[in-house]
Amino acid sequence: MCGIVAYLGKREAYPIIIKGLERLEYRGYDSTGVALLNGDLNVYKKKGKVSELRATLNEESLIGNIGIGHTRWATHGEPNDTNAHPHLSQSGNLAMIHNGIIENYDSIKTDLLKKGYEFTSETDSEIFINFIEDIHKNNDVDLCEAVRLALNKVVGAYAIAIISKDEPDLLIAARKGSPLVVGLGKDEFFLASDATPIIEYTNEVVYLEDQEIAIIKGNHLTIKSIEDVELTPYIQTVDMQLEAIEKGGYEHFMLKEIFEQPKSIGDCLRGRLKAKDGRLVLGGIHDYVNKILNADRILIIGCGTSWHAGLVAEYIFEEFCRIPVEVEYASEFRYRNPVVGEKDVVIAISQSGETADTLAAIDLAKSKGATILGICNVVGSSIPRATHAGSYTHAGPEIGVASTKAFTAQISVLIMMALMIAEKKGSISNSLYRQLLVDLESIPDKAAKALDLNPQIEYISELFKDSANFLYLGRGYNFPVALEGALKLKEISYIHAEGYPAAEMKHGPIALIDESMPVVFIATKDSSYEKIVSNIQEVKARKGRVIAIVSEGDTEVSKMAEFTIEVPATHEALMPLISVIPLQLLSYHIAVLRGCNVDQPRNLAKSVTVE
């Protein structure tokens, strides 16, 4: 989850590193630090955000052509100045930044304590750098070899960058289970957790694979495995524009990303959906269509918002493809002994493509012979490399921690995948298939119309910003939307919220309803409409305050609800792409009105790369 930035070259390192940390702050913002080498090895670090560190520094005096920087999401040790990275070795000769968790840190620490080492922080990372130094000092090996030997002995996940006072033209990096990208400039190198800090300077990158070490010495890059095998770097071109990672006039990244959904959904559909011809083209899974057609079942795995997208897909695949579907939390799937066979198809969903639990679940399913398809947003990330095939969502960079446009892009890909399979299987009529393609093509325009509701939703948010609890209810395709709406509200506004199938309200949650309880119904016109109208009446009878998302022109619900938000009508299978947008806006405005930092909610980070 933490953010790593490093530089070695002819420029001043500090401006590059600090700007990079600001761009990576969505990955962690408990504390920040920079180490610069200019004769002396100096470390500057502080609890809090990048801006709080910058406020303490005389930036003009921070010189040096090599440095490392880190923004932290705390794992070992609470957020404070001491636990912040970079960490120095006991001699002060080495500095390291680390993303991940070293599981066998305690046994390593015990051994180092016996040798006279002392530790000032609570982190596994300080132990890690001293372990490397101990091997370097006592085994008559150079620093690169000491790092390699240490990596063969640690257990856990890591992305690291190390600089040495004794070697001012050396930068060493390595990864396992946590992403790391090397950017290649002219006689200069950049290092980061993802490409966002790099694209201003270069679009040529090398994505390190698990258990690979990057050794940058002067103007030369060497890639090695931890078995000491030299590898040929695979240089890729990053297709990302600088403006894509800027706020573009919006107050927050989250608001920008909500409003980008007409474009991001359109980008996801472009080149794949050919409604006039009645065709869908998903080249990424072309060679695996028969595997899906003949699958005993489809297993969908994900975490958080991606899991909710998987629930929507469960309804779609079962209705149109008539293939059994199970949706699993990756974090649970990986720790039990699931029944998975060679005729199962697993769809792994992750915005970042780096989610640790999802990667582990992929490895487990693959070991049992299943076919693994990936759906993710970040090109070059770990999940596309770990899966047999898959599709990118093409949503563009998502910087806000609370995922918005990734959700609708994931559903867009899943809908296209399901409809393509259904058409080839013959489990959907040609008329319905073509109708759904036409309706899907209209979704970007309908998403834009839903965004026009923003002023009304901001007004409603003002009325409910001080509520202690919210209940979100939906049926059918809109049940996962209720879950997603509740998740968005609690993760950025810190209001307790629960999502339920509307019919389950009577099995417990109805006890919570009184005159102070806001209940959000997703009550668009679909096959469950009459049932959800009855559920609204039950809440009204108990004086609950009803906010209803309804289809344009609805007259029945508007008579019962205190507030109705009318969204464009579409086929119920596609409605989650529209009905979720008012819920995203509702959570955003409530959080802003409560003074919350919506882009960086407490205790959360964008990419969960540790367990």
Side-chain angles (χ1 to χ4, degrees), residues 528-547:
S528 301
Y529 180 75
E530 298 302 328
K531 297 293 184 184
I532 206 160
V533 167
S534 298
N535 297 139
I536 293 173
Q537 290 172 331
E538 290 163 352
V539 170
K540 287 295 291 181
R542 288 154 182 85
K543 302 187 185 303
R545 303 190 68 182
V546 175
I547 304 166

PDB file of all heavy atoms in Angstrom, residues 528-547:
ATOM      1  N   SER A 528     -38.717  -6.549 -10.076  1.00  0.00           N
ATOM      2  CA  SER A 528     -38.987  -6.578  -8.630  1.00  0.00           C
ATOM      3  C   SER A 528     -39.663  -5.304  -8.143  1.00  0.00           C
ATOM      4  O   SER A 528     -39.787  -5.088  -6.932  1.00  0.00           O
ATOM      5  CB  SER A 528     -37.664  -6.759  -7.858  1.00  0.00           C
ATOM      6  OG  SER A 528     -37.017  -7.942  -8.225  1.00  0.00           O
ATOM      7  N   TYR A 529     -40.105  -4.463  -9.065  1.00  0.00           N
ATOM      8  CA  TYR A 529     -40.588  -3.134  -8.696  1.00  0.00           C
ATOM      9  C   TYR A 529     -41.734  -3.185  -7.690  1.00  0.00           C
ATOM     10  O   TYR A 529     -41.706  -2.490  -6.662  1.00  0.00           O
ATOM     11  CB  TYR A 529     -41.021  -2.375  -9.950  1.00  0.00           C
ATOM     12  CG  TYR A 529     -41.552  -0.982  -9.672  1.00  0.00           C
ATOM     13  CD1 TYR A 529     -40.680   0.055  -9.340  1.00  0.00           C
ATOM     14  CD2 TYR A 529     -42.914  -0.707  -9.743  1.00  0.00           C
ATOM     15  CE1 TYR A 529     -41.150   1.330  -9.094  1.00  0.00           C
ATOM     16  CE2 TYR A 529     -43.394   0.574  -9.497  1.00  0.00           C
ATOM     17  CZ  TYR A 529     -42.515   1.587  -9.169  1.00  0.00           C
ATOM     18  OH  TYR A 529     -42.979   2.848  -8.909  1.00  0.00           O
ATOM     19  N   GLU A 530     -42.754  -4.003  -7.920  1.00  0.00           N
ATOM     20  CA  GLU A 530     -43.906  -4.037  -7.023  1.00  0.00           C
ATOM     21  C   GLU A 530     -43.504  -4.493  -5.627  1.00  0.00           C
ATOM     22  O   GLU A 530     -44.040  -4.005  -4.629  1.00  0.00           O
ATOM     23  CB  GLU A 530     -44.995  -4.959  -7.587  1.00  0.00           C
ATOM     24  CG  GLU A 530     -45.556  -4.509  -8.927  1.00  0.00           C
ATOM     25  CD  GLU A 530     -46.152  -3.106  -8.860  1.00  0.00           C
ATOM     26  OE1 GLU A 530     -46.679  -2.726  -7.797  1.00  0.00           O
ATOM     27  OE2 GLU A 530     -46.070  -2.385  -9.879  1.00  0.00           O
ATOM     28  N   LYS A 531     -42.538  -5.405  -5.577  1.00  0.00           N
ATOM     29  CA  LYS A 531     -42.082  -5.902  -4.266  1.00  0.00           C
ATOM     30  C   LYS A 531     -41.367  -4.797  -3.489  1.00  0.00           C
ATOM     31  O   LYS A 531     -41.559  -4.636  -2.283  1.00  0.00           O
ATOM     32  CB  LYS A 531     -41.144  -7.094  -4.462  1.00  0.00           C
ATOM     33  CG  LYS A 531     -41.794  -8.304  -5.112  1.00  0.00           C
ATOM     34  CD  LYS A 531     -42.838  -8.924  -4.211  1.00  0.00           C
ATOM     35  CE  LYS A 531     -43.405 -10.187  -4.830  1.00  0.00           C
ATOM     36  NZ  LYS A 531     -44.492 -10.768  -4.002  1.00  0.00           N
ATOM     37  N   ILE A 532     -40.543  -4.034  -4.181  1.00  0.00           N
ATOM     38  CA  ILE A 532     -39.791  -3.006  -3.456  1.00  0.00           C
ATOM     39  C   ILE A 532     -40.700  -1.852  -3.057  1.00  0.00           C
ATOM     40  O   ILE A 532     -40.469  -1.186  -2.030  1.00  0.00           O
ATOM     41  CB  ILE A 532     -38.560  -2.540  -4.259  1.00  0.00           C
ATOM     42  CG1 ILE A 532     -37.475  -2.011  -3.293  1.00  0.00           C
ATOM     43  CG2 ILE A 532     -38.910  -1.461  -5.282  1.00  0.00           C
ATOM     44  CD1 ILE A 532     -36.100  -1.969  -3.861  1.00  0.00           C
ATOM     45  N   VAL A 533     -41.769  -1.621  -3.806  1.00  0.00           N
ATOM     46  CA  VAL A 533     -42.764  -0.630  -3.392  1.00  0.00           C
ATOM     47  C   VAL A 533     -43.367  -1.037  -2.051  1.00  0.00           C
ATOM     48  O   VAL A 533     -43.553  -0.204  -1.150  1.00  0.00           O
ATOM     49  CB  VAL A 533     -43.858  -0.474  -4.467  1.00  0.00           C
ATOM     50  CG1 VAL A 533     -45.047   0.308  -3.919  1.00  0.00           C
ATOM     51  CG2 VAL A 533     -43.289   0.226  -5.702  1.00  0.00           C
ATOM     52  N   SER A 534     -43.636  -2.318  -1.890  1.00  0.00           N
ATOM     53  CA  SER A 534     -44.157  -2.813  -0.613  1.00  0.00           C
ATOM     54  C   SER A 534     -43.145  -2.594   0.511  1.00  0.00           C
ATOM     55  O   SER A 534     -43.519  -2.242   1.635  1.00  0.00           O
ATOM     56  CB  SER A 534     -44.505  -4.294  -0.727  1.00  0.00           C
ATOM     57  OG  SER A 534     -45.514  -4.508  -1.679  1.00  0.00           O
ATOM     58  N   ASN A 535     -41.870  -2.815   0.216  1.00  0.00           N
ATOM     59  CA  ASN A 535     -40.830  -2.588   1.230  1.00  0.00           C
ATOM     60  C   ASN A 535     -40.764  -1.127   1.645  1.00  0.00           C
ATOM     61  O   ASN A 535     -40.556  -0.804   2.826  1.00  0.00           O
ATOM     62  CB  ASN A 535     -39.470  -3.028   0.703  1.00  0.00           C
ATOM     63  CG  ASN A 535     -39.380  -4.499   0.388  1.00  0.00           C
ATOM     64  OD1 ASN A 535     -38.797  -4.903  -0.618  1.00  0.00           O
ATOM     65  ND2 ASN A 535     -39.967  -5.352   1.233  1.00  0.00           N
ATOM     66  N   ILE A 536     -40.949  -0.220   0.698  1.00  0.00           N
ATOM     67  CA  ILE A 536     -40.963   1.209   1.021  1.00  0.00           C
ATOM     68  C   ILE A 536     -42.133   1.530   1.942  1.00  0.00           C
ATOM     69  O   ILE A 536     -41.988   2.282   2.920  1.00  0.00           O
ATOM     70  CB  ILE A 536     -41.035   2.045  -0.277  1.00  0.00           C
ATOM     71  CG1 ILE A 536     -39.738   1.885  -1.080  1.00  0.00           C
ATOM     72  CG2 ILE A 536     -41.277   3.530   0.045  1.00  0.00           C
ATOM     73  CD1 ILE A 536     -39.775   2.521  -2.451  1.00  0.00           C
ATOM     74  N   GLN A 537     -43.287   0.943   1.667  1.00  0.00           N
ATOM     75  CA  GLN A 537     -44.453   1.177   2.523  1.00  0.00           C
ATOM     76  C   GLN A 537     -44.193   0.696   3.952  1.00  0.00           C
ATOM     77  O   GLN A 537     -44.610   1.339   4.921  1.00  0.00           O
ATOM     78  CB  GLN A 537     -45.665   0.467   1.931  1.00  0.00           C
ATOM     79  CG  GLN A 537     -46.173   1.110   0.641  1.00  0.00           C
ATOM     80  CD  GLN A 537     -47.242   0.289  -0.048  1.00  0.00           C
ATOM     81  OE1 GLN A 537     -47.271  -0.945   0.070  1.00  0.00           O
ATOM     82  NE2 GLN A 537     -48.118   0.956  -0.789  1.00  0.00           N
ATOM     83  N   GLU A 538     -43.474  -0.403   4.081  1.00  0.00           N
ATOM     84  CA  GLU A 538     -43.155  -0.929   5.411  1.00  0.00           C
ATOM     85  C   GLU A 538     -42.246   0.032   6.188  1.00  0.00           C
ATOM     86  O   GLU A 538     -42.400   0.212   7.399  1.00  0.00           O
ATOM     87  CB  GLU A 538     -42.488  -2.300   5.282  1.00  0.00           C
ATOM     88  CG  GLU A 538     -43.435  -3.391   4.799  1.00  0.00           C
ATOM     89  CD  GLU A 538     -42.714  -4.624   4.273  1.00  0.00           C
ATOM     90  OE1 GLU A 538     -41.466  -4.581   4.143  1.00  0.00           O
ATOM     91  OE2 GLU A 538     -43.400  -5.611   3.973  1.00  0.00           O
ATOM     92  N   VAL A 539     -41.317   0.647   5.483  1.00  0.00           N
ATOM     93  CA  VAL A 539     -40.433   1.619   6.141  1.00  0.00           C
ATOM     94  C   VAL A 539     -41.208   2.879   6.502  1.00  0.00           C
ATOM     95  O   VAL A 539     -41.049   3.436   7.594  1.00  0.00           O
ATOM     96  CB  VAL A 539     -39.223   1.946   5.222  1.00  0.00           C
ATOM     97  CG1 VAL A 539     -38.437   3.130   5.773  1.00  0.00           C
ATOM     98  CG2 VAL A 539     -38.322   0.726   5.091  1.00  0.00           C
ATOM     99  N   LYS A 540     -42.053   3.334   5.589  1.00  0.00           N
ATOM    100  CA  LYS A 540     -42.861   4.530   5.866  1.00  0.00           C
ATOM    101  C   LYS A 540     -43.762   4.320   7.069  1.00  0.00           C
ATOM    102  O   LYS A 540     -43.966   5.236   7.877  1.00  0.00           O
ATOM    103  CB  LYS A 540     -43.707   4.883   4.637  1.00  0.00           C
ATOM    104  CG  LYS A 540     -42.929   5.476   3.488  1.00  0.00           C
ATOM    105  CD  LYS A 540     -42.324   6.826   3.824  1.00  0.00           C
ATOM    106  CE  LYS A 540     -43.392   7.890   3.983  1.00  0.00           C
ATOM    107  NZ  LYS A 540     -42.801   9.226   4.292  1.00  0.00           N
ATOM    108  N   ALA A 541     -44.317   3.117   7.232  1.00  0.00           N
ATOM    109  CA  ALA A 541     -45.199   2.824   8.356  1.00  0.00           C
ATOM    110  C   ALA A 541     -44.472   2.930   9.690  1.00  0.00           C
ATOM    111  O   ALA A 541     -45.102   3.112  10.738  1.00  0.00           O
ATOM    112  CB  ALA A 541     -45.793   1.432   8.199  1.00  0.00           C
ATOM    113  N   ARG A 542     -43.131   2.834   9.640  1.00  0.00           N
ATOM    114  CA  ARG A 542     -42.323   2.926  10.862  1.00  0.00           C
ATOM    115  C   ARG A 542     -41.581   4.258  10.936  1.00  0.00           C
ATOM    116  O   ARG A 542     -40.610   4.397  11.658  1.00  0.00           O
ATOM    117  CB  ARG A 542     -41.370   1.736  10.921  1.00  0.00           C
ATOM    118  CG  ARG A 542     -42.131   0.448  11.230  1.00  0.00           C
ATOM    119  CD  ARG A 542     -41.438  -0.802  10.717  1.00  0.00           C
ATOM    120  NE  ARG A 542     -42.256  -1.972  11.016  1.00  0.00           N
ATOM    121  CZ  ARG A 542     -43.261  -2.407  10.248  1.00  0.00           C
ATOM    122  NH1 ARG A 542     -43.562  -1.769   9.126  1.00  0.00           N
ATOM    123  NH2 ARG A 542     -43.953  -3.475  10.608  1.00  0.00           N
ATOM    124  N   LYS A 543     -42.033   5.210  10.153  1.00  0.00           N
ATOM    125  CA  LYS A 543     -41.561   6.597  10.158  1.00  0.00           C
ATOM    126  C   LYS A 543     -40.119   6.750   9.680  1.00  0.00           C
ATOM    127  O   LYS A 543     -39.454   7.744   9.986  1.00  0.00           O
ATOM    128  CB  LYS A 543     -41.734   7.233  11.543  1.00  0.00           C
ATOM    129  CG  LYS A 543     -43.165   7.217  12.053  1.00  0.00           C
ATOM    130  CD  LYS A 543     -43.306   8.004  13.328  1.00  0.00           C
ATOM    131  CE  LYS A 543     -44.710   7.886  13.891  1.00  0.00           C
ATOM    132  NZ  LYS A 543     -45.745   8.314  12.948  1.00  0.00           N
ATOM    133  N   GLY A 544     -39.605   5.772   8.949  1.00  0.00           N
ATOM    134  CA  GLY A 544     -38.273   5.921   8.350  1.00  0.00           C
ATOM    135  C   GLY A 544     -38.270   6.997   7.283  1.00  0.00           C
ATOM    136  O   GLY A 544     -39.294   7.274   6.646  1.00  0.00           O
ATOM    137  N   ARG A 545     -37.134   7.630   7.075  1.00  0.00           N
ATOM    138  CA  ARG A 545     -36.996   8.699   6.086  1.00  0.00           C
ATOM    139  C   ARG A 545     -36.483   8.084   4.782  1.00  0.00           C
ATOM    140  O   ARG A 545     -35.342   7.611   4.721  1.00  0.00           O
ATOM    141  CB  ARG A 545     -36.067   9.784   6.593  1.00  0.00           C
ATOM    142  CG  ARG A 545     -36.534  10.366   7.934  1.00  0.00           C
ATOM    143  CD  ARG A 545     -35.738  11.592   8.306  1.00  0.00           C
ATOM    144  NE  ARG A 545     -36.022  12.708   7.402  1.00  0.00           N
ATOM    145  CZ  ARG A 545     -35.421  13.901   7.479  1.00  0.00           C
ATOM    146  NH1 ARG A 545     -34.504  14.121   8.419  1.00  0.00           N
ATOM    147  NH2 ARG A 545     -35.730  14.867   6.633  1.00  0.00           N
ATOM    148  N   VAL A 546     -37.312   8.088   3.764  1.00  0.00           N
ATOM    149  CA  VAL A 546     -37.027   7.355   2.531  1.00  0.00           C
ATOM    150  C   VAL A 546     -36.438   8.273   1.461  1.00  0.00           C
ATOM    151  O   VAL A 546     -37.019   9.303   1.110  1.00  0.00           O
ATOM    152  CB  VAL A 546     -38.295   6.678   1.991  1.00  0.00           C
ATOM    153  CG1 VAL A 546     -38.019   6.014   0.638  1.00  0.00           C
ATOM    154  CG2 VAL A 546     -38.807   5.634   2.991  1.00  0.00           C
ATOM    155  N   ILE A 547     -35.266   7.868   0.961  1.00  0.00           N
ATOM    156  CA  ILE A 547     -34.647   8.472  -0.217  1.00  0.00           C
ATOM    157  C   ILE A 547     -34.676   7.393  -1.291  1.00  0.00           C
ATOM    158  O   ILE A 547     -34.132   6.300  -1.087  1.00  0.00           O
ATOM    159  CB  ILE A 547     -33.195   8.895   0.066  1.00  0.00           C
ATOM    160  CG1 ILE A 547     -33.118   9.836   1.263  1.00  0.00           C
ATOM    161  CG2 ILE A 547     -32.566   9.530  -1.173  1.00  0.00           C
ATOM    162  CD1 ILE A 547     -31.707  10.026   1.803  1.00  0.00           C
TER     163      ILE A 547
END
